Amino acid sequence: MDDLVGEFIAETREGLEALDSELVRFEQHPDDPEILGGVFRLIHTIKGTCGFLGLMRLQTVAHAAENVLGAFRDGSLSVSVEAVSAVLETVDLIRGIIDALARTGAEPAGDDSRLIGRLEAVFAAPTAAAPVKAPSAGATLVERLGGDATLDAAAEVLLARIASDPALLALFEATDPDVFQGAVRDALCTRARSGGPDLLADALGRCASAPLSAACLATLRAHLAAALGDLDAPQDAVTALLSAAAPAPPKPADASPAAPTAAEPEAAAQTIRVNVDSLEHLMTVVSELVLIRNQLIQTLRAQPESPFAAPLNRLNQVTSELQEGVMTTRMQPIAGAWAKMPRLVRDLSRDLGKKIDLVQHGQETELDRQVLELIKDPLTHMIRNAADHGLETPAERRAAGKSETGRITLSARHEGGAIIIEVGDDGRGLSPARIRSKAVTSGIATVAQAEAMSDAEALQLIFRAGFSTAAQVTAVSGRGVGMDVVRTNIERIGGAIELNSAEGAGTQFTIRIPLTLSIVQALIVECCGIRFAMPQSGVVELVSANDSSNRSIEYINGAAVLRLRDRLLPLISLQTLLGLQPRDARRGDACIVVAEVGAFTFGVIVDRVFDTEEIVVKPVSGILRHLRIYSGATIVGDGSVIMILDFKGMSAEAGVDQVAAAVQARAPAADTVAGVPEALLVFKTAQGAPKAARLASVARIEEVRLEDVEIVDGRTVVQYRGGLMPIVGADGANAQPATEARAKPLLVYARDDRHIGLLVDEIVDIVEIHVATSLAANGAGSLGSLTVAGRATELVDIGHFWRRIFGEAVAAQEAAKQSRRLLVVDQSPFCALLLKPLLARAGYDVTLCATPEDALALHAAGDAFDLIMADISTQTAHAQRLASAFRQANRWRDTPLVQLALGAAGGTFDGAGVIAAVSETLQPMKGAA
Amino acid sequence: MTNASLPMDDGARCGLVSVRVNGQAFGVPVLQVQDVIAPTPINRVPLAPPEVAGSLNLRGRIVTAVDMRRRLGMPDRETPQAAMSVIVERGGELYALLIDDVGDVLWLSQAEHEPNPVTLTAAWRDLCDGLYRLERELLLVLNVERVLSLTPASLAA
């Protein structure tokens, strides 16, 4: 029986998958008899098998749903949203019971009376509305008996009774219970509707493995009679139905319904169920065969005249065919991953009060079973996102001049050895501006970074961890874990995700995934005589670094980097990472494999790069699984085993993640503010000298083409935001108009409504560094030098350029303002991210301390400030520590204190207000000075 | 391997594949042994624990090789290529135990099984399930599960 239950579970699960999409189609096209027939058959099969296996709970539930569906089919009940919902809920319940059954082997206990009650209410609704037809003698036999459903139930009970009677079981054992039940039901229905001859004996005879004796027939009839009696069919009707004599003449009106016999054609078994393990085994054997073939071909290559050449040629072809064949057995249409989507969209549209159309293209596109499983969740998530965030409410859509019904498109197609899946919606699209502000408030980017981003770059932020554009968290989505997980999952299977969005017109995600996981394209590399495979999907490009190619590896404090075009590429040496000993004393030149993990790019130094090869990925053995840098192992053509390197694991192992974090100058977390390193923008001037500028004081970074530079009244200017902005070379020289085509970065500084631009040749990096307090100024325009990445770098004095351009008067005022030193004592990232750049841009010299103790240390060091800003409003431990710190800071007693009340600010941040408050507080001081 | 004609492990008798590592005789329970193979090229796996010699290709399956000399804290063999392998399975994965030599399959009476002597070093006590006194020497029974449990603790040891 166990095998039967197992098969039932597998079969039912398949049926349920199909049912979800069928039912939703059914709701849209309630008049399509084919869909209705399909749905009815599915539920019916479930119910029938349950009865046979003695799963009573499932049977009752399925029975109630079947009644409703049967009524739809007979046209006695019109399809309503309520009814479909109840049936869908039943499907969910059945699914739950099946899952429990699979786990424990027994039906879980539970009370389904409410759901059954709902189904019965739906079922009873029209009958109650229609004139009540008592099961009187005037009604047809079918009606008196309680409809087709009763007859079907009786057939089922008969089946169960046969199963419990060994003598009868022997006769019917060979028959499919479904076929049997169908035959009996059809016989009974035909008789009950149209009268006519007794078909029951015929039907039973057809199903039995041996001719039925009269006694046997009588027993079966008795069983049926008892069953109908149990189902509350009136006794006279039962007798009329089962008597061998012809009943009363049929009523012509009842002859119309089509006989259901034609509706259930016997589908010949076109498919067989195969255990996945046997497929996997087959796959292993085939890959072994491929290897042997390769070895044979290699051996035979030396002897072209060998008598084995011809058979080997054949073997070669057959093996390839076999490999392809086995591969296809693992392929499944993507519809398997999509089956749940129509149901999901339907439920979402109900929950969210939106009208949504789901359009699907390319369901038949096939991909590996394993990949299929892995993309289900990301796809579901993206559909949820599209429905919840992407599409607007009907009212909003009307206002925007779109049709009320939103559309989600799901399409799949093959493209060059990969599957392209597109998930699109025609909703509101992503707003780069909203993403920028969201990124700043959630600490993913600083204001300066957010402003420096192009719209396309800003859109990419939604793939960062902890990002959500949803204004509010809904039950459906918006908890801030989302697209980053989707991206990670897709990248884990060697895929990539791209995003396209037009504000107001919708969003489109394009996912590219490999057809299969077990065979991947890999780059074979060698390091110290050992070969490794690198998944081609993560490789961006190959760069050779040697003296002749004028590109060499440089070292910053022992860390290898490579200048690659416009950026600095952190490098990992495979030899160092793996602790290998070099074979030759001196390596001539190295190859660098540029790899990409998420948004982060790095290079891997290897000795040699061979070819790309298709490799069969096998898991890493258990005792090596702790090595994160391997994602698998494979056997290459010559039979040796090589390890597959995992870029993500490598970058984690080498610690380049942290390097990358510094390179990208992510927003410092609250606890790292303590040391207050300053973010410096490192750039090169036209003369190639490295210089640095405080990132916080840079308002924006623009790109300017030298041909756009004009000279007006002896000044070099460029048109900027509707006005003219003076620009000056970062090396102090005036920028000259030129015809050079390459756009150059321009650092834009802003004070009040004035801008100046600092023209640099190339932006090298952003570094976090402790700027020494005393910098020896060595010339105009320089605040002094400091060491960045091992190189002496000049820190630009932007005040010098303000003075030079806007004259001494303005500069003096600016300088006075500049001299105002502010101390901000707060640990929240808000200060580091927003307040400090804001004040710095307004011309103040801002020092940030995370803790009162740090501030006290500055006091001890003899620092003086014109104004202190601190949060002293709340009775927190922080505030108390602050109070005690200020009691000790004697020299600061006369320094005015501005209260920061971040917690109470209510979420809105009034930048202009803060500046006004600061300058007002400083006003009397200025007068006194 | 010609163990098909021999009786299965029936409780009273215990079948052991006798192997030799640095002169010491060990027995690997025959029911856990899948295969015994001749010396075969082994591909190194960088960063693997020192006991792991690398991985090898056994008819299309990847087998991780554990050097028993290292696992038992013995000196490395002079000719590393000459190691024989006893293939065992654990958790659906194949492992090769690299040993110096393979002998016969011995069918020994359970009654003769003796516990580990208390003087055996802790490392060996952990890897062995008692011993048998043969005519000319002592045969230690290897516990395959624990031999393949290369926990970080054993790495440190």
Side-chain angles (χ1 to χ4, degrees):
Chain A
M1 207 59 173
D2 269 349
D3 279 357
L4 276 183
V5 173
E7 203 167 291
F8 165 68
I9 290 169
E11 216 166 73
T12 311
R13 278 185 171 157
E14 255 171 42
L16 286 172
E17 293 262 301
L19 195 58
D20 269 339
S21 46
E22 291 259 298
L23 272 178
V24 176
R25 269 206 300 152
F26 167 53
E27 193 185 15
Q28 288 153 358
H29 314 280
D31 45 355
D32 187 336
E34 204 172 295
I35 299 175
L36 184 56
V39 174
F40 183 81
R41 262 200 303 281
L42 273 165
I43 283 274
H44 176 74
T45 311
I46 292 173
K47 186 188 80 164
T49 329
C50 289
F52 192 62
L53 295 174
L55 302 168
M56 290 322 287
R57 187 173 166 205
L58 268 183
Q59 192 193 355
T60 10
V61 174
H63 179 69
E66 191 192 4
N67 276 346
V68 173
L69 287 166
F72 289 161
R73 190 172 67 161
D74 300 344
S76 62
L77 193 64
S78 61
V79 179
S80 66
V81 176
E82 169 62 18
V84 172
S85 287
V87 173
L88 285 180
E89 225 167 282
T90 316
V91 172
D92 286 340
L93 180 70
I94 293 175
R95 201 192 309 272
I97 296 178
I98 289 287
D99 286 346
L101 187 65
R103 273 198 310 277
T104 63
E107 265 190 312
D111 181 24
D112 314 317
S113 51
R114 268 192 57 210
L115 181 61
I116 292 172
R118 267 180 65 197
L119 285 166
E120 273 168 1
V122 170
F123 183 52
T127 350
V132 181
K133 271 192 190 170
S136 64
T140 63
L141 191 52
V142 179
E143 281 163 358
R144 278 161 61 207
L145 285 164
D148 286 356
T150 316
L151 294 177
D152 185 45
E156 213 174 291
V157 174
L158 179 63
L159 205 57
R161 285 176 183 235
I162 288 173
S164 60
D165 183 336
L168 291 173
L169 187 60
L171 279 170
F172 293 103
E173 212 165 27
T175 312
D176 184 329
D178 230 24
V179 173
F180 176 82
Q181 192 185 338
V184 171
R185 182 192 58 226
D186 293 346
L188 290 178
C189 287
T190 319
R191 177 84 185 265
R193 281 191 194 284
S194 53
D198 180 21
L199 301 167
L200 187 63
D202 274 4
L204 289 171
R206 272 203 313 278
C207 292
S209 51
L212 288 173
S213 65
C216 223
L217 265 179
T219 324
L220 287 167
R221 274 183 210 279
H223 277 315
L224 260 183
L228 282 166
D230 287 349
L231 292 163
D232 295 333
Q235 195 53 51
D236 57 327
V238 175
T239 323
L241 178 73
L242 294 178
S243 64
K251 297 187 180 191
D254 284 307
S256 52
T261 29
E264 289 184 57
E266 267 311 297
Q270 293 291 330
T271 56
I272 53 161
R273 232 178 277 283
V274 180
N275 195 326
V276 174
D277 286 346
S278 13
L279 280 184
E280 299 287 337
H281 178 68
L282 207 55
M283 188 79 193
T284 317
V285 177
V286 169
S287 23
E288 195 178 321
L289 185 62
V290 171
L291 288 176
I292 298 170
R293 175 202 59 185
N294 292 352
Q295 277 171 5
L296 276 179
I297 290 176
Q298 246 165 28
T299 320
L300 221 64
R301 200 165 284 159
Q303 305 160 290
E305 299 303 315
S306 163
F308 296 119
L312 184 63
N313 203 7
R314 273 298 291 153
L315 178 72
N316 185 5
Q317 283 171 12
V318 174
T319 311
S320 301
E321 249 170 62
L322 186 62
Q323 189 186 15
E324 214 164 279
V326 172
M327 288 292 299
T328 34
T329 58
R330 291 167 52 97
M331 296 300 214
Q332 284 187 335
I334 199 167
W338 286 2
K340 285 195 173 64
M341 299 307 176
R343 166 81 189 274
L344 176 74
V345 169
R346 176 192 177 275
D347 289 355
L348 284 173
S349 77
R350 253 174 60 121
D351 294 350
L352 298 166
K354 297 175 180 176
K355 291 185 183 169
I356 309 175
D357 244 357
L358 179 70
V359 184
Q360 304 183 27
H361 298 295
Q363 288 101 314
E364 69 289 338
T365 313
E366 287 193 325
L367 73 168
D368 192 278
R369 194 186 53 80
Q370 200 184 354
V371 182
L372 196 72
E373 287 300 317
L374 289 167
I375 57 158
K376 262 186 197 174
D377 283 351
L379 279 183
T380 310
H381 193 93
M382 288 165 74
I383 297 269
R384 275 179 199 281
N385 265 350
D388 194 15
H389 310 318
L391 294 176
E392 313 92 326
T393 60
E396 284 168 346
R397 289 184 70 88
R398 257 199 315 277
K402 301 187 199 177
S403 78
E404 271 188 29
T405 311
R407 175 201 296 261
I408 296 178
T409 326
L410 196 56
S411 74
R413 62 174 193 273
H414 282 274
E415 202 182 282
I419 295 259
I420 311 287
I421 303 174
E422 286 172 344
V423 182
D425 63 63
D426 65 345
R428 58 172 75 96
L430 290 165
S431 148
R434 230 172 95 214
I435 291 173
R436 278 199 191 94
S437 69
K438 187 84 187 176
V440 171
T441 47
S442 51
I444 287 173
T446 65
V447 178
Q449 282 174 332
E451 279 187 7
M453 278 175 198
S454 68
D455 283 0
E457 282 169 339
L459 291 184
Q460 296 299 321
L461 285 174
I462 67 160
F463 292 115
R464 292 283 194 89
F467 192 90
S468 171
T469 49
Q472 68 205 47
V473 171
T474 67
V476 180
S477 50
R479 284 181 197 83
V481 281
M483 291 315 293
D484 63 313
V485 179
V486 168
R487 180 187 181 142
T488 315
N489 283 344
I490 287 170
E491 281 177 354
R492 191 170 296 152
I493 55 174
I497 181 165
E498 274 168 36
L499 161 71
N500 238 318
S501 179
E503 219 174 328
T507 310
Q508 172 122 345
F509 290 97
T510 308
I511 305 171
R512 172 184 282 269
I513 40 173
L515 279 180
T516 168
L517 293 188
S518 42
I519 295 188
V520 299
Q521 281 285 340
L523 188 71
I524 311 294
V525 301
E526 190 187 72
C527 181
C528 304
I530 304 181
R531 279 175 298 167
F532 298 93
M534 291 177 166
Q536 185 76 53
S537 58
V539 176
V540 183
E541 61 178 319
L542 298 176
V543 181
S544 84
N546 53 23
D547 302 332
S548 58
S549 72
N550 200 16
R551 201 186 272 130
S552 59
I553 300 169
E554 294 174 77
Y555 292 89
I556 303 174
N557 192 22
V561 290
L562 180 80
R563 278 184 235 193
L564 184 63
R565 289 183 285 279
D566 57 340
R567 66 169 178 237
L568 215 51
L569 191 70
L571 296 180
I572 299 174
S573 158
L574 201 54
Q575 181 193 325
T576 323
L577 186 66
L578 299 175
L580 296 171
Q581 293 304 313
R583 263 190 167 178
D584 316 317
R586 178 84 201 104
R587 289 207 313 262
D589 48 9
C591 288
I592 292 165
V593 179
V594 182
E596 196 172 48
V597 175
F600 165 54
T601 313
F602 62 98
V604 185
I605 310 173
V606 299
D607 293 352
R608 275 176 81 187
V609 173
F610 297 97
D611 215 349
T612 52
E613 228 177 82
E614 281 203 338
I615 57 166
V616 180
V617 180
K618 312 222 171 175
V620 182
S621 86
I623 58 173
L624 298 176
R625 212 156 281 159
H626 62 282
L627 300 174
R628 287 183 298 169
I629 62 165
Y630 301 126
S631 63
T634 191
I635 299 174
V636 281
D638 65 355
S640 30
V641 180
I642 68 172
M643 303 302 288
I644 304 168
L645 291 166
D646 181 42
F647 288 128
K648 202 176 174 74
M650 283 167 78
S651 69
E653 201 68 35
V656 267
D657 277 356
Q658 286 85 341
V659 177
V663 167
Q664 294 178 354
R666 295 217 178 114
D671 53 350
T672 60
V673 177
V676 203
E678 271 193 83
L680 294 185
L681 187 74
V682 183
F683 54 85
K684 273 199 252 171
T685 63
Q687 267 98 47
K691 291 203 179 194
R694 286 199 167 93
L695 184 63
S697 59
V698 178
R700 268 176 297 282
I701 300 175
E702 302 279 352
E703 294 221 308
V704 64
R705 281 212 299 272
L706 288 181
E707 57 193 17
D708 295 336
V709 173
E710 299 162 73
I711 296 186
V712 178
D713 194 18
R715 282 185 194 174
T716 326
V717 293
V718 68
Q719 292 185 20
Y720 182 68
R721 294 197 175 178
L724 288 176
M725 174 168 67
I727 63 170
V728 61
D731 44 10
N734 271 336
Q736 294 301 325
T739 46
E740 198 179 335
R742 186 167 75 92
K744 297 212 171 190
L746 188 69
L747 313 185
V748 178
Y749 290 82
R751 274 186 194 173
D752 301 330
D753 51 353
R754 281 194 291 260
H755 296 92
I756 60 169
L758 199 60
L759 192 67
V760 304
D761 197 55
E762 185 185 350
I763 290 180
V764 178
D765 205 349
I766 291 170
V767 294
E768 295 258 315
I769 201 164
H770 289 268
V771 178
T773 40
S774 57
L775 290 165
N778 58 353
S782 165
L783 286 173
S785 347
L786 61 161
T787 321
V788 178
R791 296 189 68 173
T793 305
E794 223 171 73
L795 188 61
V796 172
D797 176 15
I798 196 65
H800 168 79
F801 294 111
W802 280 113
R803 282 192 296 277
R804 213 174 92 184
I805 290 165
F806 290 105
E808 289 302 319
V810 182
Q813 188 197 337
E814 300 290 351
K817 215 171 172 186
Q818 183 85 353
S819 71
R820 298 293 172 192
R821 298 192 66 195
L822 305 187
L823 174 67
V824 180
V825 189
D826 199 274
Q827 59 190 356
S828 77
F830 164 81
C831 284
L833 291 176
L834 278 179
L835 195 58
K836 191 180 171 192
L838 183 84
L839 291 169
R841 221 171 298 144
Y844 296 101
D845 182 4
V846 187
T847 308
L848 187 62
C849 285
T851 64
E853 288 75 21
D854 289 347
L856 216 51
L858 287 177
H859 179 263
D863 271 358
F865 296 93
D866 297 305
L867 182 75
I868 299 171
M869 301 176 85
D871 182 5
I872 49 170
S873 58
T874 46
Q875 290 302 317
T876 57
H878 177 77
Q880 279 160 15
R881 267 160 57 211
L882 200 66
S884 83
F886 282 137
R887 268 198 297 280
Q888 295 169 47
N890 293 325
R891 281 190 300 105
W892 288 355
R893 210 157 268 165
D894 295 330
T895 312
L897 187 72
V898 169
Q899 178 174 323
L900 281 174
L902 299 173
T908 55
F909 174 62
D910 175 15
V914 172
I915 302 286
V918 168
S919 78
E920 204 171 293
T921 317
L922 285 172
Q923 216 58 57
M925 307 285 297
K926 198 178 254 179
Chain B
M1 290 298 302
T2 53
N3 55 18
S5 60
L6 288 159
M8 294 299 279
D9 205 76
D10 55 6
R13 291 162 76 79
C14 170
L16 292 172
V17 177
S18 68
V19 299
R20 198 161 289 278
V21 186
N22 196 25
Q24 171 66 49
F26 290 93
V28 185
V30 74
L31 290 182
Q32 285 173 274
V33 174
Q34 299 249 331
D35 209 340
V36 173
I37 57 170
T40 170
I42 292 172
N43 303 99
R44 247 185 85 195
V45 178
L47 296 188
E51 293 92 333
V52 175
S55 41
L56 54 92
N57 171 9
L58 175 67
R59 296 190 293 275
R61 288 192 68 176
I62 294 177
V63 181
T64 308
V66 174
D67 188 333
M68 287 311 293
R69 281 210 183 207
R70 293 203 169 173
R71 188 72 184 95
L72 292 161
M74 293 169 165
D76 285 353
R77 62 181 68 78
E78 279 130 35
T79 47
Q81 293 82 18
M84 302 271 292
S85 305
V86 173
I87 309 292
V88 293
E89 186 176 341
R90 188 185 74 153
E93 293 169 342
L94 293 185
Y95 291 90
L97 306 180
L98 300 189
I99 37 97
D100 298 351
D101 200 6
V102 180
D104 288 333
V105 179
L106 305 174
W107 293 92
L108 301 167
S109 163
Q110 287 279 24
E112 288 168 36
H113 180 256
E114 289 177 44
N116 287 328
V118 286
T119 50
L120 202 64
T121 60
W124 280 39
R125 250 202 324 271
D126 185 47
L127 300 178
C128 299
D129 277 341
L131 56 81
Y132 286 95
R133 266 182 289 176
L134 304 183
E135 268 177 47
R136 303 166 68 182
E137 59 186 343
L138 298 174
L139 180 97
L140 285 157
V141 180
L142 280 180
N143 181 324
V144 171
E145 179 60 36
R146 281 207 291 278
V147 163
L148 295 178
S149 300
L150 291 177
T151 53
S154 86
L155 291 177

